Amino acid sequence: SPPSPWQRTWSFFTSPVNMIDALAIFPFYLEFLLDEGGGFAVLRVVRLSRVFRVFKLGKYNEVLLMFGRVIKKSAPAFYVLVFEFTIGVIVFSSLIFATEQGSYVPRGMPIMKED
């Protein structure tokens, strides 16, 4: 007979991948529920160590190393792209300012009406 919905739900929550995910977010909710302040600094360090573990994976993964080399070699093209984008923003914002011909009044400032 097929498993009941409760059995499927239980097997989903107790699968190893979901248990690891639950343990990863558990310190946040524990801290949130207890609202103790500084008592959970150790848990923050544990969470931070997970972030450093991700950076350590880059040494061993050839794909990430190749991605880093590609980014480094394409940096000059990226600089040209940023430069052209900046020039475009300056030109088109100047055109918008010239066509609107308005004046800027900060919020909360009184507007002086000329009679």
Side-chain angles (χ1 to χ4, degrees):
S1 75
S4 71
W6 290 106
Q7 289 172 330
R8 284 190 316 224
T9 303
W10 180 253
S11 66
F12 173 78
F13 281 115
T14 57
S15 69
V17 175
N18 288 327
M19 292 299 287
I20 291 171
D21 287 342
L23 288 174
I25 63 171
F26 178 71
F28 170 77
Y29 288 108
L30 183 66
E31 213 175 313
F32 181 72
L33 291 174
L34 296 178
D35 199 26
E36 288 282 324
F40 292 102
V42 173
L43 295 177
R44 287 190 191 114
V45 171
V46 170
R47 284 189 298 197
L48 191 59
S49 68
R50 288 194 328 255
V51 171
F52 290 131
R53 190 176 67 213
V54 169
F55 290 127
K56 197 165 53 171
L57 289 176
K59 290 191 297 187
Y60 306 111
N61 195 345
E62 185 62 33
V63 174
L64 289 177
L65 291 174
M66 184 174 62
F67 182 71
R69 286 193 302 266
V70 167
I71 294 297
K72 188 182 283 187
K73 286 184 178 182
S74 63
F78 180 70
Y79 296 145
V80 170
L81 176 70
V82 169
F83 175 74
E84 289 178 355
F85 180 75
T86 304
I87 295 297
V89 167
I90 291 170
V91 167
F92 286 108
S93 62
S94 299
L95 287 173
I96 290 172
F97 181 77
T99 56
E100 286 183 353
Q101 296 178 355
S103 60
Y104 173 72
V105 178
R107 182 175 286 159
M109 295 293 292
I111 298 175
M112 304 293 272
K113 295 186 179 183
E114 294 180 17
D115 293 328

